[in-house]
Amino acid sequence: FPVTITMNVIDELGRIVVTLMNGVPQQAGNHKVNFQNEAALNTSGIYFLRLHADGKTTIIKIINSR
């Protein structure tokens, strides 16, 4: 059964920099999301990828060194 996915990149202050997915239904399994071309991420710094699915939230630290 599909699960609704929301995926955001947030900055160190907790502000949403870019929304990669918003309420997208996905089947279980491995998936790829490409956000290399997101203009909002052109600045070096520390960001966090926040993934919310099936009532659970996971946050992953991203270090962007351009």
Side-chain angles (χ1 to χ4, degrees):
F1 63 95
V3 175
T4 302
I5 304 291
T6 301
M7 186 181 300
N8 300 307
V9 176
I10 56 178
D11 66 12
E12 291 180 288
L13 299 176
R15 298 176 296 200
I16 295 175
V17 176
V18 64
T19 298
L20 301 171
M21 294 182 165
N22 190 9
V24 178
Q26 293 283 333
Q27 294 292 335
N30 295 322
H31 302 278
K32 291 183 180 183
V33 176
N34 182 353
F35 55 95
Q36 286 181 325
N37 297 326
E38 292 293 340
L41 296 175
N42 283 339
T43 305
S44 295
I46 297 173
Y47 297 92
F48 299 90
L49 178 70
R50 180 173 56 197
L51 171 65
H52 183 78
D54 200 26
K56 298 175 184 144
T57 301
T58 300
I59 298 175
I60 301 167
K61 185 178 183 178
I62 301 170
I63 299 174
N64 186 14
S65 56
R66 295 242 173 206

